[in-house]
Amino acid sequence: MSSFFQQVYRVARQIPLGRVATYGQIAALLGQPRAARTVGWALHALPEDCDVPWHRVINAQGRISTSCKEHDADPQRARLEAEGIVFGPDDRVDLRVYRWAGLTWPEMDELWRSEGESDLD
DNA sequence: ACAATGACATAAG
DNA sequence: GCTTATGCCATTG
């Protein structure tokens, strides 16, 4: 875990409260629009008490992708609802409304810059 | 280096 | 809208 995972975590931390991002979006921000799977995997390996808002990352359909028994979708949905995110009748969020705008290049630049200085935040 | 894995994405039936 | 099949990419054994 020296690069991509760390990058995913770093970007995920930038997701503002009450906002969500898709795996593909995170991957795209990292320059790998096809690495959505890897992004999901990175979040999967994340502990629950980590400082990364992994629950704000969902699939492109605005749904919880969790298929693992180890991780249930219910707690994640509860977290999102607690942040003000409203789920539709199909248990999916309105990406048109809650989708994170993403990071601007200047912000990303600063993000990578701070990465070399401290790996925490 | 090869094969397998996985919280995805997209296209097609 | 849901299910199935294929592609993609980084990590791990």
Side-chain angles (χ1 to χ4, degrees):
Chain A
M1 1 201 162
S2 312
S3 47
F4 209 86
F5 278 32
Q6 205 64 309
Q7 272 192 329
V8 173
Y9 304 147
R10 199 163 295 274
V11 172
R13 270 188 277 239
Q14 311 310 312
I15 306 176
L17 190 144
R19 210 53 81 93
V20 297
T22 68
Y23 300 94
Q25 181 180 358
I26 301 294
L29 285 173
L30 297 179
Q32 301 294 344
R34 307 298 147 183
R37 277 205 122 207
T38 310
V39 173
W41 202 15
L43 296 173
H44 172 237
L46 219 49
E48 294 186 9
D49 56 342
C50 64
D51 56 336
V52 179
W54 50 270
H55 52 274
R56 296 186 191 137
V57 185
I58 56 183
N59 64 11
Q61 296 186 353
R63 290 184 156 206
I64 313 284
S65 302
T66 55
S67 300
C68 286
K69 292 182 176 181
E70 310 296 308
H71 307 92
D72 296 321
D74 297 293
Q76 185 167 355
R77 188 179 73 228
R79 278 176 177 273
L80 294 174
E81 288 183 315
E83 297 188 352
I85 296 176
V86 181
F87 280 71
D90 288 349
D91 292 315
R92 64 178 228 178
V93 307
D94 222 322
L95 287 176
R96 302 170 304 176
V97 178
Y98 300 107
R99 196 175 188 280
W100 176 39
L103 287 171
T104 61
W105 285 109
E107 282 190 308
M108 284 184 57
D109 181 47
E110 189 175 337
L111 207 63
W112 312 142
R113 193 162 60 84
S114 62
E115 178 180 21
E117 298 175 356
S118 61
D119 51 37
L120 256 176
D121 192 312

